[in-house]
Amino acid sequence: MSSRPSFYITRLENWVDLPSSLGTLGAQILAGGTDLVPNLTWELASPTMLVDVMGISELREITIDAEGRWVIGAAVTLSDILHHPVLGAHYPMLVAAVHAVATPEIRAQATLGGNLCVDTRCRFRNQPPIWRSGLDPCFKSDGNRCYAAPKSRECVAILSSDTAPVLIALGAEVAVGGPELRWVEVEALYSGDGHDHLTLGPQEFVRAVRLPRVSPAGVFRKWRDRATMDFPEVDVAVAATLDEGVPRDIRIVVSAVGPAPVRISAAEVLLDSSPWTDAQLERASVMAREAVHPYDNGQLGVIGRQLAVRSLVLDALTALRAALMETGGEQNDLGGRDSREKGQPR
Amino acid sequence: MAGTLLQLTVNGHPQTVWIQDKTTLLEVLRDGLGFTGTKNGCAVGQCGTCTVWIDGVSRLSCITLARTVEGRTVTTVEGLADWWRERHPEDVYHPLQSAFVAEGAVQCGFCTPGMTMAGAALLQEIPHPDREEIREALGGHLCRCTGYEQIIRAVAAVGDRGKEDVR
Amino acid sequence: MSKMHEVEAKPTALLDTMPRIDAWDKVTGQALYADDVRWPHMAYGFLIRSPYAHARVVKVDIEAVRGLPGVLAVLCGPGSVAAYGIMPSTQDEHALAAKKVCYLGEPVVAIAAETLHQAEAAASKVVVEYEVLRPVLHPGVPKSHTALVHPEHPTGNLFKAVDLEFGDMAGGFLDAWTREDRFFYQGNNHVAMEPHAVLAYWRPDGKIEVSSSTQAPHYVQRELARALDVPDYRIRVVAPVIGGGFGGKSEAFPHEVAAVLLSRECGRPVKITLSREEVFYTHRGRHPVSMRVRTAIGPAGRIRAMEFDTELDGGAYGSYGIASTYYTGALQPTTYQIPAYHFHGERWYTTKPPCGPKRGHGTTQPRALLEIHLDRMARALRMDPIALRRQNLTPPHSVTVNQLEITTSGLAECLDAVEARSGWRERRGQLEPDRGLGVACSSYLSGAGLPIYWNPLPHSGVRLAVNRDGGVQVFCGLTDIGQGAQTILVMLTAQALGIDSQRVRVYTADTGMTPVDLGSYSSRVTMMAGNATLQAAERMAALLLHVAAERMGVAEVDVLRKGEDFLVPMADRITPWDDVVKWAEEMQGPLSTVGGYTPPPALGRYKGSGVGPSPAYSFSACVADITVNTRDGRVTVHHLWVAHDLGTPLNRSMVEGQIRGGVVMGLGEVLMEAQAFNPDGRHRGPHLLGYRIPTILDVPEIDIVLVGEPEPRGPLGAKEVGQGPLNPVIPAVINAISDAVGIDLTETPITPDRILRALHKQERGRAQ
């Protein structure tokens, strides 16, 4: 049938049992499996036990907490989010990102938690078995070298989660389950090292995602080679809230250019303190381009990805400005004039 | 490694199969049960040829571990006509199968089972899909022969047929 | 919405819009492809493949594997197998590597076991020691002996060089305005959705049964016979339902030879199915070609002379390479009159998967450069690109400078059609910034005029039988690879015999049962098997008419056909088909006729003249409407207009499907597809996310126009449609990009990185 290494599947009904199961040597969570199963088939992962969490009903619920915040269970599928009757109206940027993930069949199976925790990818590792068999293992394969960045001391594989940059831009938090429950900002979920790219402890897992009570205005843009199916070469999510006509809480997040999403703080500061003229947005997009340092480990080359960052940030900010002006009416300090033609996420 | 028994319903019939936990649903269908209509074009979820329904939802059987569909209902291209006939006794085949034949949507046929299952699932969800909805729903299905147009027309033709019935 | 038009003046003789005869089996899951077939007590084969692009095989230890659970046979080295290869002059392949491996993925060891899992588990126990050598990734004379791919090859890494000259080159270039252009066309893979699979059984009586995913059972039979030193008649090769070929399944492959050998060893049928990764290593796809063209242009934009040089990166083995090389020079004169023409082609060995034929075989790459070159000349001469082409069209019923006989040609109408429908005159030059229109022409063979190995026999044979049940059986060696060849045979038979198509069954792609047809390549099947079928059917029709006249006691001229019936109006007598068939069997015994087709002799008498001739040529033109995003380098194709002259379209729906499929494949080649390699010889991404083909959402609107007149040599007037429409798409898109943003690209695929680099270079050029 297949040379997939052997493993056991344990199906849980209650998340309380999860930490101890995860404590077993070689245990790994199985949710939708759309990332994990291909990796098993290509022998990129070799767990001895998979802990199937899809039977844990608490992880599959979309609820509102006491403070009126939406909480999405980690095992809620991406298509459940798309089909939710009201979530989309409140968090259009999240829905746009979810819709940009892979294909309808994969979205019917993949989960939000799985998308946030999706393993990092690299053109020098995510390859089929014969391809890899003649190569010394890289950092990601527990070796001691990097083919994408030979001088790097750690793995530079790419985080391909489309929801991560959006949830960071929204200021969402994740509930990390484990021996103890803790809430962290989504940004804090990522270590920056492609090999061990999550900051979760050995018995910890993502239990749920909590969205802010009121969504800021936001725009998501994805650059991929084809119009569907492909992983992102660049993701951009921008968000801001209008406070008496002035944009505040500006977040500019670029992702899929390294092991963790990147906040473009300089550009956030720039746009926090000055009017959103075309020239300022252009400056912000150049800052974004300068803040990221992609390697040639995706499908698009380095130059292409750098310029896609600039293009997408400018496009997203321009669209955000237009959205803010629409909600802010006359009383705003956006300073925008000729908003450009809007590109569609691909 | 020792296997265990898996019980599921395939095309309306309960089946019990001896599997390992690492076995995929595609392997169960093709190798275990002989439903070779479901194809293996890439084995890792990148082409759509292995699409089946799991409880009526279009899914990729190559990236679904069989253990995770314990007790559930699977429909393959071989069972699509039966599934339809149960609900529409006047028809022998699913109208999308007839439309694929009539519109020239079939060439080599290797993507056809996946395309048909995805298209039929779309028609359940959206009875009269427009062109963009069809393209969106079939986005995960590669076809190298047709250039896709006649496939779009086949799905649209079934949707249009339904519209006339409503009138 | 995308449409298909036929030019109104077209004298169409549309026979049928009959659905494909195999469509129902394919929509119900009944169709059995090679990997779906099971034979009793079948074993599973697995190939251990080289993980290095270039290495010496120091040691292979298979002893540890014998006796492992389920293991039935283990093989390594060439053993008793002779070298084989599709071209008689270049027999350079073995199923299992001996001393060296020359591409990553080359098979070294073959294992058969009770289950695939056991075969794979056993494979992990085999020890193969390699001495890794530097990969050879580019054509050119190597610096050291270790960089020779095949050290025994007499011309080093140069596989073959060919040189042809026609007409007065010196005179043509004398005092003429000239332009030179260069281009690199990247290689690419067929990506048929069905990965190759084979099931082979060496029977106890020494006969060999093979069921394989192949486009050419006859060639597989022939190559297996050479490799195994077994008479051809002992080998039967059957192609089951084939999930696409596009040229990628046109010869014998290591896995086919290995399956036969494993079966001989273990006495059981052995199946080998390739993974998608293995398909990319098996390859035989489009050659990467570096090209140079230089053209002398006379007054009014008439071509006076042309030099065309091509350098093909052939990969590790010969495959169809010698034919591919000649094809890179053969068809330039079929579209444009070139009074003097010099062609130089070289194919080089490199340590990459072997290249071979892919849809448009060897003509796609030079066609891209030629059409780009014409646009650049038009720009320099301040001429409209379509006008420049019109100045130079090869007329119908003419002979080209390289002795190719052109019969019907609708190329001028193709250009008219795409010019009119795209709004070329009104829109070109008037579009919004960064948007452009581009045009290109092309032509292709309706079957190669000569077979792969020289022989004077028919290229296609048909045996037709009429049974007393009133049904008709057509036996022909052709393979339906998805293009609908079986359906065409049914239609032609029904038409020629005047019967309902339901009466006709076709039996194809079985060397043990059918007369030889060379295979489904070079767009030859409708032309050749179609003509052979018509001949057999017409002979049968004559026989039945003769019988009917005799039994009804009238002269043959007095018997008419009305529907299926045989009618004698003067006697007011009607005899149904079924009765005439029974009369005929009563009088003559079981009813059978044969038909055959041999192409008309080629005109050329020079070395290399075997590549290029065809009974007839198809012609195409394409206009592309695109926008370049200058910020991120993305090209958006809005619309393609494609006009194609295929003579008489026999089945409208299938014709449309062939054109659309070819056009979209061309779109993939120009924008995204690349069989490219890392510096260590590893494929950039041997999977469907690393090697991307267009999805349904990547396809623009495509308008199709059918033009042309019936081709006298074609069956009921038909010419080819399976390959030609791919070719013009690539240069049309590239020319449109030049029109949009003024950059001259130098290689495919046109990725955003390449656009951005070219734009950057253009900016720098302007600044200086």
Side-chain angles (χ1 to χ4, degrees):
Chain A
M1 288 198 174
S2 152
S3 54
R4 242 169 266 122
S6 290
F7 48 80
Y8 288 102
I9 298 178
T10 304
R11 190 173 171 87
L12 295 188
E13 306 284 332
N14 192 328
W15 63 265
V16 177
D17 302 329
L18 198 43
S20 62
S21 294
L22 288 176
T24 314
L25 192 69
Q28 202 171 334
I29 286 187
L30 170 67
T34 55
D35 185 47
L36 179 59
V37 180
N39 284 351
L40 293 169
T41 299
W42 279 0
E43 300 166 49
L44 287 162
S46 51
T48 52
M49 183 171 85
L50 293 183
V51 185
D52 181 356
V53 299
M54 296 304 277
I56 304 176
S57 53
E58 295 97 320
L59 297 185
R60 306 202 57 176
E61 289 170 353
I62 300 178
T63 52
I64 301 179
D65 72 5
E67 273 123 279
R69 295 173 293 196
W70 287 95
V71 179
I72 307 174
V76 168
T77 66
L78 299 182
S79 57
D80 285 343
I81 294 174
L82 293 178
H83 289 129
H84 193 273
V86 291
L87 207 54
H90 294 310
Y91 303 93
M93 176 163 67
L94 175 62
V95 168
V98 167
H99 189 256
V101 174
T103 65
E105 280 84 2
I106 289 175
R107 294 196 293 268
Q109 186 168 344
T111 63
L112 181 61
N115 190 260
L116 275 175
C117 298
V118 68
D119 201 4
T120 52
R121 303 177 58 82
C122 174
R123 187 159 68 76
F124 296 91
R125 179 169 190 269
N126 292 78
Q127 298 283 4
I130 303 165
W131 193 100
R132 290 195 331 277
S133 58
L135 275 185
D136 292 335
C138 66
F139 289 127
K140 183 83 188 170
S141 303
D142 299 326
N144 55 5
R145 56 182 303 171
C146 176
Y147 292 97
K151 289 181 182 164
S152 174
R153 285 159 174 259
E154 59 180 26
C155 173
V156 300
I158 300 163
L159 179 75
S160 303
S161 168
D162 292 316
T163 56
V166 160
L167 291 171
I168 293 170
L170 287 175
E173 296 161 299
V174 288
V176 174
E180 288 171 42
L181 181 73
R182 60 190 176 102
W183 286 94
V184 298
E185 293 214 354
V186 174
E187 214 175 334
L189 199 56
Y190 302 102
S191 69
D193 176 355
H195 174 256
D196 205 2
H197 74 295
L198 299 173
T199 55
L200 298 176
Q203 295 185 54
E204 287 189 322
F205 60 96
V206 169
R207 209 176 105 186
V209 172
R210 186 167 69 194
L211 301 173
R213 202 171 54 79
V214 178
S215 174
V219 175
F220 170 74
R221 292 286 184 261
K222 174 173 180 170
W223 205 104
R224 57 181 158 189
D225 197 28
R226 293 177 293 183
T228 181
M229 202 184 285
D230 291 330
F231 286 102
E233 299 297 321
V234 172
D235 271 344
V236 167
V238 297
T241 308
L242 217 50
D243 179 10
E244 296 183 349
V246 181
R248 292 288 178 226
D249 299 329
I250 298 156
R251 289 189 179 216
I252 301 172
V253 189
V254 177
S255 194
V257 290
V262 181
R263 287 274 294 271
I264 313 297
S265 323
E268 291 175 0
V269 171
L270 174 79
L271 294 182
D272 195 46
S273 55
S274 59
W276 289 32
T277 61
D278 285 355
Q280 292 294 70
L281 299 193
E282 182 81 43
R283 272 185 69 193
S285 72
V286 172
M287 286 172 167
R289 180 195 159 166
E290 286 165 355
V292 300
H293 305 284
Y295 293 97
D296 188 14
N297 56 347
Q299 299 300 333
L300 188 62
V302 172
I303 299 168
R305 277 163 90 202
Q306 285 176 336
L307 291 181
V309 167
R310 195 179 104 181
S311 171
L312 256 58
V313 168
L314 180 65
D315 180 42
L317 286 173
T318 307
L320 178 61
R321 178 177 67 186
L324 290 172
M325 285 175 78
E326 208 168 286
T327 53
E330 294 301 305
Q331 298 176 343
N332 68 64
D333 188 23
L334 292 165
R337 272 171 290 272
D338 53 328
S339 65
R340 288 167 187 279
E341 193 191 345
K342 272 182 251 173
Q344 291 301 309
R346 293 194 61 168
Chain B
M1 184 189 235
T4 46
L5 287 176
L6 171 77
Q7 295 192 316
L8 74 174
T9 300
V10 182
N11 296 331
H13 298 283
Q15 299 277 3
T16 304
V17 206
W18 191 255
I19 63 156
Q20 296 181 29
D21 278 5
K22 67 176 188 172
T23 307
T24 62
L25 177 58
L26 176 64
E27 290 159 350
V28 166
L29 292 172
R30 284 185 61 81
D31 305 336
L33 298 173
F35 288 108
T36 53
T38 304
K39 301 302 180 200
N40 181 4
C42 75
V44 286
Q46 302 173 349
C47 78
T49 60
C50 70
T51 301
V52 299
W53 292 355
I54 299 172
D55 292 338
V57 177
S58 185
R59 290 264 303 265
L60 301 179
S61 62
C62 77
I63 58 170
T64 299
L65 293 173
R67 178 61 63 212
T68 64
V69 296
E70 178 88 50
R72 296 172 73 179
T73 297
V74 174
T75 310
T76 71
V77 68
E78 290 96 335
L80 181 61
D82 297 338
W83 180 89
W84 179 262
R85 203 179 310 123
E86 219 166 84
R87 289 149 186 84
H88 304 268
E90 69 280 11
D91 288 340
V92 179
Y93 298 101
H94 192 289
L96 188 59
Q97 292 175 311
S98 311
F100 262 63
V101 174
E103 296 289 337
V106 179
Q107 285 190 35
C108 89
F110 206 77
C111 74
T112 305
M115 286 281 188
T116 318
M117 296 309 288
L122 169 71
L123 289 162
Q124 281 307 110
E125 198 185 326
I126 307 175
H128 314 296
D130 64 25
R131 203 176 155 81
E132 282 321 299
E133 286 165 334
I134 295 167
R135 280 164 35 110
E136 171 64 34
L138 301 180
H141 297 259
L142 298 179
C143 170
R144 193 62 154 169
C145 295
T146 63
Y148 302 104
E149 175 66 26
Q150 286 156 304
I151 293 171
I152 299 172
R153 282 186 208 153
V155 181
V158 178
D160 290 347
R161 192 184 84 154
K163 271 183 205 163
E164 281 158 25
D165 291 350
V166 173
R167 277 184 234 135
Chain C
M1 195 181 293
S2 299
K3 295 185 196 77
M4 185 165 87
H5 313 271
E6 282 163 42
V7 169
E8 283 128 40
K10 186 176 175 54
T12 50
L14 278 179
L15 287 174
D16 211 340
T17 49
M18 145 176 170
R20 301 172 57 103
I21 61 166
D22 51 353
W24 274 110
D25 277 355
K26 289 174 175 176
V27 297
T28 52
Q30 294 297 321
L32 292 179
Y33 298 75
D35 186 49
D36 303 339
V37 178
R38 290 179 159 223
W39 286 343
H41 209 43
M42 169 179 103
Y44 292 83
F46 181 79
L47 298 174
I48 300 178
R49 293 174 182 267
S50 166
Y52 304 108
H54 194 198
R56 281 199 192 92
V57 180
V58 177
K59 192 179 125 191
V60 183
D61 185 357
I62 56 175
E63 290 313 311
V65 176
R66 297 189 201 278
L68 284 178
V71 172
L72 301 168
V74 196
L75 297 169
C76 67
S80 60
V81 182
Y84 63 92
I86 182 74
M87 306 300 285
S89 62
T90 56
Q91 309 268 306
D92 59 0
E93 295 191 53
H94 286 95
L96 300 174
K99 298 176 195 146
K100 272 188 80 178
V101 285
C102 299
Y103 63 94
L104 191 154
E106 180 162 6
V108 181
V109 177
I111 299 176
E114 298 279 353
T115 69
L116 182 57
H117 181 58
Q118 287 171 329
E120 290 180 347
S124 67
K125 301 282 189 266
V126 172
V127 179
V128 185
E129 280 177 28
Y130 298 95
E131 178 195 342
V132 180
L133 303 171
R134 282 173 78 88
V136 181
L137 298 178
H138 301 287
V141 178
K143 293 192 181 70
S144 75
H145 186 75
T146 54
L148 288 173
V149 180
H150 302 296
E152 70 287 357
H153 188 68
T155 50
N157 284 351
L158 178 63
F159 168 76
K160 203 86 190 176
V162 303
D163 202 88
L164 298 172
E165 186 166 317
F166 309 95
D168 177 10
M169 287 295 287
F173 274 100
L174 188 69
D175 297 331
W177 183 86
T178 66
R179 180 178 167 95
E180 180 175 292
D181 281 300
R182 288 165 192 268
F183 200 83
F184 172 68
Y185 196 103
Q186 180 58 283
N188 48 53
N189 185 265
H190 321 81
V191 193
M193 292 314 298
E194 179 208 19
H196 308 52
V198 64
L199 180 50
Y201 184 31
W202 192 301
R203 293 159 46 101
D205 60 8
K207 290 197 174 118
I208 300 161
E209 302 276 324
V210 178
S211 167
S212 188
S213 177
T214 180
Q215 300 175 230
H218 173 64
Y219 288 151
V220 173
Q221 177 195 31
R222 205 180 124 80
E223 285 188 78
L224 286 175
R226 298 298 166 278
L228 304 168
D229 194 23
V230 164
D232 294 55
Y233 59 78
R234 266 177 51 197
I235 304 171
R236 177 186 179 196
V237 178
V238 180
V241 180
I242 304 299
F246 313 111
K249 298 171 178 170
S250 305
E251 60 193 292
F253 292 105
H255 65 274
E256 291 170 319
V257 182
V260 175
L261 292 173
L262 287 170
S263 175
R264 179 174 70 181
E265 197 80 0
C266 70
R268 288 164 58 169
V270 174
K271 181 192 277 187
I272 297 180
T273 303
L274 302 192
S275 67
R276 181 57 65 182
E277 179 183 20
E278 293 178 293
V279 173
F280 282 106
Y281 301 153
T282 303
H283 194 47
R284 320 291 159 140
R286 179 107 55 230
H287 284 76
V289 187
S290 299
M291 298 171 281
R292 182 189 73 91
V293 61
R294 183 164 157 260
T295 302
I297 289 267
R302 293 293 292 266
I303 296 171
R304 287 174 51 176
M306 181 183 289
E307 318 178 314
F308 211 107
D309 299 345
T310 62
E311 183 187 71
L312 291 78
D313 176 350
Y317 293 103
S319 181
Y320 280 79
I322 189 158
S324 316
T325 308
Y326 276 116
Y327 271 126
T328 62
L331 297 195
Q332 284 84 333
T334 57
T335 46
Y336 307 113
Q337 279 185 291
I338 305 171
Y341 180 55
H342 180 254
F343 164 63
H344 182 80
E346 294 176 358
R347 184 180 187 266
W348 293 78
Y349 281 127
T350 54
T351 58
K352 293 187 274 189
C355 297
K358 180 185 170 192
R359 202 176 203 169
H361 189 191
T363 73
T364 306
Q365 306 95 322
R367 178 56 58 186
L369 173 56
L370 177 58
E371 299 293 322
I372 294 164
H373 178 60
L374 283 174
D375 259 47
R376 292 179 189 170
M377 288 198 291
R379 196 198 308 154
L381 297 167
R382 299 182 187 286
M383 281 182 76
D384 177 76
I386 293 180
L388 175 64
R389 285 173 173 81
R390 284 204 179 103
Q391 287 294 317
N392 290 287
L393 295 185
T394 298
H397 307 291
S398 62
V399 176
T400 66
V401 71
N402 56 342
Q403 301 291 296
L404 303 181
E405 188 187 1
I406 307 295
T407 54
T408 54
S409 168
L411 184 52
E413 294 160 84
C414 286
L415 270 177
D416 294 346
V418 293
E419 181 187 49
R421 284 173 198 272
S422 65
W424 178 271
R425 287 188 191 197
E426 312 84 78
R427 296 177 65 220
R428 196 162 190 271
Q430 311 296 319
L431 296 163
E432 61 263 32
D434 304 334
R435 187 160 180 169
L437 290 177
V439 69
C441 297
S442 192
S443 95
Y444 200 71
L445 327 166
S446 304
L450 279 91
I452 295 300
Y453 64 99
W454 189 89
N455 72 77
L457 303 171
H459 290 215
S460 190
V462 165
R463 194 161 50 237
L464 184 145
V466 179
N467 280 1
R468 65 180 70 169
D469 63 8
V472 178
Q473 302 164 335
V474 181
F475 298 87
C476 179
L478 68 81
T479 308
D480 195 323
I481 55 175
Q483 84 277 45
Q486 290 181 328
T487 304
I488 292 291
L489 254 55
V490 170
M491 287 170 48
L492 291 174
T493 303
Q495 168 87 6
L497 291 175
I499 53 173
D500 188 272
S501 61
Q502 289 274 6
R503 290 187 184 270
V504 185
R505 279 200 172 82
V506 290
Y507 299 85
T508 62
D510 181 342
T511 65
M513 183 161 77
T514 61
V516 168
D517 174 277
L518 295 178
S520 288
Y521 65 93
S522 85
S523 279
R524 52 177 298 289
V525 176
T526 295
M527 173 64 76
M528 302 200 189
N531 274 324
T533 301
L534 281 183
Q535 188 179 55
E538 280 158 9
R539 284 172 175 168
M540 181 60 75
L543 186 155
L544 293 173
L545 189 73
H546 175 75
V547 165
E550 197 170 317
R551 286 296 283 259
M552 292 193 279
V554 296
E556 285 180 29
V557 291
D558 295 327
V559 182
L560 304 179
R561 295 292 299 276
K562 185 181 182 213
E564 293 190 327
D565 297 336
F566 291 73
L567 187 72
V568 182
M570 58 187 205
D572 197 18
R573 201 167 159 196
I574 295 177
T575 312
W577 162 269
D578 286 336
D579 290 358
V580 174
V581 165
K582 289 190 186 94
W583 285 345
E585 187 174 341
E586 183 188 335
M587 290 167 68
Q588 309 214 350
L591 300 172
S592 183
T593 55
V594 295
Y597 182 78
T598 306
L603 303 181
R605 286 287 173 270
Y606 55 91
K607 185 170 163 51
S609 62
V611 173
S614 175
Y617 298 84
S618 75
F619 294 89
S620 334
C622 175
V623 165
D625 176 355
I626 64 99
T627 294
V628 177
N629 181 333
T630 56
R631 302 196 72 98
D632 69 2
R634 189 191 287 282
V635 175
T636 302
V637 179
H638 303 291
H639 209 128
L640 295 169
W641 293 268
V642 179
H644 188 68
D645 161 28
L646 77 155
T648 309
L650 296 185
N651 182 309
R652 206 189 318 231
S653 170
M654 280 170 27
V655 163
E656 177 173 2
Q658 285 298 306
I659 295 177
R660 289 191 183 283
V663 168
V664 172
M665 191 178 276
L667 202 59
E669 289 197 17
V670 66
L671 292 180
M672 57 182 82
E673 296 182 33
Q675 173 96 348
F677 294 82
N678 292 343
D680 64 358
R682 284 185 158 65
H683 193 293
R684 225 184 115 94
H687 48 90
L688 297 175
L689 286 180
Y691 185 103
R692 293 173 301 286
I693 66 170
T695 71
I696 198 168
L697 287 159
D698 296 299
V699 176
E701 287 192 23
I702 300 167
D703 273 25
I704 295 166
V705 193
L706 303 183
V707 304
E709 56 179 319
E711 163 58 47
R713 288 177 174 173
L716 307 181
K719 298 195 285 188
E720 84 88 37
V721 66
Q723 308 192 58
L726 177 149
N727 281 353
V729 176
I730 295 123
V733 168
I734 295 172
N735 288 339
I737 293 168
S738 289
D739 183 48
V741 289
I743 52 173
D744 285 343
L745 296 156
T746 55
E747 62 183 296
T748 60
I750 312 300
T751 58
D753 295 273
R754 297 213 167 98
I755 293 266
L756 292 168
R757 257 182 254 131
L759 288 169
H760 184 63
K761 198 173 147 197
Q762 179 193 48
E763 220 165 276
R764 263 195 333 215
R766 277 185 192 150
Q768 278 160 9

